[in-house]
Amino acid sequence: MRIVLGVTGGIAAYKAALLLRLMTEDGHEVHVVPTDSALKFVGKPTWEALSGQPVYNDTFEAVEDVNHVLQGRRADVVVLAPATANSIAKAAAGLAEDLLGNILLTATVPVVMAPAMHTEMWENPATKANVATLRSRGVHVIEPAVGRLTGVDTGKGRFPDPEDIWAQTQQIVAQAQTGDQLAGRSVVISAGGTREALDPVRYLGNRSSGKQGVALAKAAAAQGAQVTLIAGAMDVQAPTHPNITVVRIESTRELLDAVLEHAQHQDALIMAAAVADFRPASATNEKIKKQDDASAPTIVLEQTEDVLRTSVEQRAAGQPLPRVIVGFAAETGDETTSPLEYGRAKLQRKGCEILVVNEVGVGKVFGQNDNDVTILFANGREELSVQGSKDVVAEAIIEQLAVALA
């Protein structure tokens, strides 16, 4: 594979050298195109030594080869890492002030951007608008990581791990080469957690961040599907993509109603939302007050609706619901039974076509960037284990969904 690795002027430029190493170690031909600012962090000799290729960054270098046009045409993928706020703004505006800008304008292959900047820059309305513009044009902008930034700052905007960038890049190239596997398909995906009101202030809920559901929506949309994302309480923003429509819900009952409404005549349903299994049997319209005698109220709970099983049952009863339903099982094991064993039993009990099982707990899955799942199939196909970022896991699940639909 021929790769153009664009490097812009951020402190994370040194990490792009690690990304370059991953690419070359896998046997790929990488042409590094740094900006002038990037060369203030890492010089040309380093890029040439690591890539084994000459490094150009000026439009007027190698003009006899029409370098500013052919680089983008000949590549299989263009990766911009790190992508600073400034470089993202230039790309969104279509500026071609240097060799890298020209390559981005002439590239007819997938373009992947890995942002790295301070949190305030990433969250600035201008940057958000620029990212949305690029994504609407088909550019793959990876979500930045959360963690230590330059200096003492911490927040969202950290350069993603090079291993994660490389894994996503390979998935994107593979998708481009095989075509949109879900083109013409419509998929409903639930994400986040449900909340059950106790009083106007308090609720019962769970630790779901919505990251996996959002990753699934992005992966399905990237494969050409029209996606309806039914979003509960989430710690992440709903994706901005022309193929994704967002429907907001809060309670489990609202989730069930939304699924039964929006999944009609759709091709697939993915139930990634973490449902609150119980709710107060009766909610009060007034805030429950503390008592002077320090006594606590007795709260009677009842089970919430089983959205997954109800969807399967309604389909069996003749409702025009998707022929492929994917469930999720967030399990904890005990002394006698493993999470995977609970998942296998749940697959039989629920009646869905595919079940994704993961072990949850404090510091596991909920709110994390990585996931470790086992995909089970009702038709007896061999179980599939997937580990990695939630984007990588989402790609694997969507690939299996495409197989099931085909």
Side-chain angles (χ1 to χ4, degrees):
M1 183 162 62
R2 185 185 175 105
I3 303 168
V4 171
L5 175 59
V7 184
T8 64
I11 187 63
Y14 79 93
K15 292 185 178 180
L18 303 176
L19 176 61
L20 171 59
R21 175 70 77 183
L22 293 172
M23 293 172 170
T24 56
E25 285 181 346
D26 281 349
H28 302 289
E29 178 184 332
V30 185
H31 295 262
V32 181
V33 182
T35 64
D36 287 338
S37 297
L39 292 176
K40 294 181 180 180
F41 293 94
V42 182
K44 273 190 180 183
T46 299
W47 298 121
E48 290 182 339
L50 291 176
S51 68
Q53 302 290 337
V55 171
Y56 303 110
N57 79 315
D58 192 305
T59 307
F60 298 99
E61 293 178 299
V63 291
E64 69 278 7
D65 295 328
V66 198
N67 199 35
H68 69 293
V69 174
L70 292 185
Q71 284 273 33
R73 286 182 179 174
R74 290 175 175 172
D76 295 295
V77 64
V78 176
V79 180
L80 192 61
T84 61
N86 187 50
S87 64
I88 288 174
K90 288 182 178 180
L95 298 181
E97 298 178 335
D98 52 18
L99 179 58
L100 182 57
N102 279 273
I103 290 173
L104 290 172
L105 277 182
T106 57
T108 57
V109 296
V111 176
V112 182
M113 295 186 178
M117 65 195 74
H118 280 277
T119 305
E120 293 84 357
M121 292 181 175
W122 176 252
E123 295 179 347
N124 187 281
T127 303
K128 288 183 177 180
N130 291 332
V131 170
T133 296
L134 290 171
R135 285 174 170 165
S136 70
R137 296 172 184 165
V139 175
H140 303 271
V141 183
I142 298 173
E143 285 292 311
V146 177
R148 180 72 177 269
L149 306 172
T150 305
V152 298
D153 293 346
T154 299
K156 188 169 186 179
R158 181 181 174 90
F159 188 65
D161 288 338
E163 292 83 359
D164 191 26
I165 297 171
W166 180 223
Q168 291 194 51
T169 298
Q170 293 177 91
Q171 290 278 354
I172 289 166
V173 172
Q175 290 170 12
Q177 292 174 344
T178 59
D180 293 337
Q181 298 183 67
L182 294 181
R185 302 288 193 180
S186 53
V187 182
V188 176
I189 301 173
S190 67
T194 60
R195 294 177 173 180
E196 307 299 332
L198 176 61
D199 61 22
V201 178
R202 305 177 182 91
Y203 62 84
L204 293 179
N206 53 59
R207 301 178 187 271
S208 175
S209 66
K211 290 181 179 179
Q212 189 64 79
V214 167
L216 285 163
K218 291 179 179 178
Q223 287 287 354
Q226 292 295 322
V227 179
T228 300
L229 178 65
I230 302 177
M234 302 195 305
D235 294 339
V236 294
Q237 290 185 342
T240 302
H241 191 286
N243 286 14
I244 300 176
T245 301
V246 180
V247 176
R248 292 287 184 178
I249 58 93
E250 181 167 305
S251 69
T252 304
R253 183 174 284 118
E254 290 174 354
L255 173 62
L256 176 60
D257 291 343
V259 166
L260 295 180
E261 175 185 353
H262 294 282
Q264 299 271 342
H265 304 289
Q266 306 300 292
D267 293 298
L269 168 64
I270 303 178
M271 286 297 305
V275 178
D277 293 324
F278 303 96
R279 63 169 164 247
S282 60
T284 176
N285 293 325
E286 298 178 355
K287 179 183 175 182
I288 300 173
K289 303 294 193 299
K290 288 184 177 180
Q291 302 300 315
D292 293 336
D293 60 2
S295 62
T298 299
I299 300 174
V300 178
L301 301 179
E302 64 181 12
Q303 287 192 5
T304 56
E305 294 80 5
D306 190 324
V307 182
L308 178 58
R309 186 171 62 186
T310 300
S311 300
V312 173
E313 291 174 348
Q314 290 288 315
R315 181 182 62 181
Q319 290 297 315
L321 293 170
R323 64 184 180 87
V324 177
I325 296 179
V326 181
F328 269 69
E331 298 288 353
T332 58
D334 53 37
E335 294 179 355
T336 61
T337 308
S338 69
L340 187 53
E341 289 171 327
Y342 276 122
R344 293 181 182 128
K346 186 172 184 177
L347 176 64
Q348 297 294 324
R349 189 170 66 252
K350 299 292 185 178
C352 54
E353 283 65 46
I354 300 173
L355 189 74
V356 182
V357 182
N358 52 16
E359 183 177 2
V360 297
V362 178
K364 293 182 179 180
V365 181
F366 286 148
Q368 305 300 308
N369 294 321
D370 295 332
N371 205 348
D372 185 347
V373 308
T374 301
I375 305 175
L376 309 180
F377 304 93
N379 64 2
R381 286 177 55 198
E382 184 177 354
E383 298 173 358
L384 177 64
S385 295
V386 184
Q387 303 85 32
S389 72
K390 290 185 175 178
D391 288 323
V392 170
V393 170
E395 297 284 358
I397 295 170
I398 293 303
E399 182 178 346
Q400 296 307 314
L401 173 64
V403 171
L405 287 172

